[in-house]
Amino acid sequence: MTATIERGAATAPVTAPAKKTPQRKKPGGFLSSSNGKKVVMAVTGAVMVLFLIGHMLGNLKIFISRDSFNEYAHALRTLLEPLAPYRTLLTIVEIVLVASVVLHMWAAISLSRRAGKARPVKYVAKKSQAKGYSTHIMRWGGVTIVLFVIWHLLDLTFGVVNPKGFDSAPADRMIAGFDASRWWVTLIYFVAVVMVGLHLRHGIWSAFQTLGWANRDRNKVLRATAGLVSAVLVVGFLAPPLAITFGVVK
């Protein structure tokens, strides 16, 4: 018996698989990525922390004497003279600081929007209280800090809302600004500085994580470091205005 084999689909021509088109990389490079934005936040945050430390140390000179504080304020404007014009170094510091604040806010807003797009539907389960607390502190704390900085500049730097005005000595502006009769200014300052401290504590810890320093062995030490730096800055910034308001510094 002869078997007959039918040729069908088995002998049909086989179509070669289409070649995959290589995906093009999104423009923007490293800075457009989440990791890039986190690094920007960490670096700019470090710049602002260094500025705060220097600013705090300068403010504490009011406890030495008015002359000491005035000399510090004058030195900020005359450093590099006569090699460079008056206020050169201070202007450079201000430009770097403003750029750091803008970049820090840009990175924070970009990351927040990216996280929102990645989770268009809200979770049914409630977020943990700790996570929600941190989110509110970073979001509203940042807004509070920006508003406070504007007031702070108008009060103690430009003298627009200060009783002594712009032409007075820096120490006189500071003491008049936190006089007991202006207790509400001290209260605003107190709340704002505490918000700065909470923002810093969370921000410094986040920077440690972004830079890859956090792990099980270091977490306790790094958290304690973030808390200590924040606490020192809060106490250092609150000491002068509280001392002035309660009559310790006159």
Side-chain angles (χ1 to χ4, degrees), residues 58-59 61-62 65-74 170-171 174:
N59 285 354
K61 287 183 175 292
I62 195 69
S65 67
R66 292 192 180 202
D67 290 339
S68 179
F69 185 84
N70 288 332
E71 287 171 3
Y72 151 73
H74 181 69
M174 187 173 188

Side-chain angles (χ1 to χ4, degrees), residues 39-49 99-101 103-104:
V39 170
V40 169
M41 287 193 69
V43 173
T44 54
V47 170
M48 289 186 281
V49 169
S100 297
V101 171
L103 289 172
H104 195 82

Side-chain angles (χ1 to χ4, degrees), residues 138-154:
M138 297 305 285
R139 181 179 300 167
W140 297 110
V143 174
T144 302
I145 292 167
V146 170
L147 294 175
F148 167 69
V149 168
I150 294 173
W151 168 267
H152 188 60
L153 291 173
L154 293 174

Side-chain angles (χ1 to χ4, degrees), residues 30-62:
F30 180 68
L31 290 180
S32 66
S33 66
S34 295
N35 287 337
K37 290 179 172 61
K38 288 178 181 178
V39 170
V40 169
M41 287 193 69
V43 173
T44 54
V47 170
M48 289 186 281
V49 169
L50 291 175
F51 169 79
L52 288 174
I53 292 173
H55 190 23
M56 178 197 70
L57 293 174
N59 285 354
L60 292 175
K61 287 183 175 292
I62 195 69

Side-chain angles (χ1 to χ4, degrees), residues 69-186:
F69 185 84
N70 288 332
E71 287 171 3
Y72 151 73
H74 181 69
L76 290 177
R77 292 158 175 77
T78 56
L79 282 174
L80 300 183
E81 283 189 341
L83 297 177
Y86 177 77
R87 216 181 182 281
T88 297
L89 184 61
L90 185 58
T91 301
I92 294 173
V93 170
E94 289 171 344
I95 292 172
V96 172
L97 188 62
V98 169
S100 297
V101 171
V102 172
L103 289 172
H104 195 82
M105 293 179 66
W106 164 77
I109 294 170
S110 298
L111 287 170
S112 179
R113 288 180 175 176
R114 181 167 294 184
K117 290 179 180 178
R119 296 192 299 269
V121 180
K122 293 183 178 180
Y123 293 119
V124 176
K126 292 182 179 181
K127 294 182 180 179
S128 67
Q129 291 183 355
K131 189 173 182 180
Y133 167 80
S134 299
T135 301
H136 285 299
I137 286 297
M138 297 305 285
R139 181 179 300 167
W140 297 110
V143 174
T144 302
I145 292 167
V146 170
L147 294 175
F148 167 69
V149 168
I150 294 173
W151 168 267
H152 188 60
L153 291 173
L154 293 174
D155 186 18
L156 299 181
T157 301
F158 303 112
V160 176
V161 294
N162 188 278
K164 292 292 185 179
F166 177 75
D167 295 330
S168 60
D172 293 338
R173 282 201 301 272
M174 187 173 188
I175 292 174
F178 295 111
D179 186 79
S181 62
R182 283 163 53 96
W183 59 268
W184 53 275
V185 174
T186 304

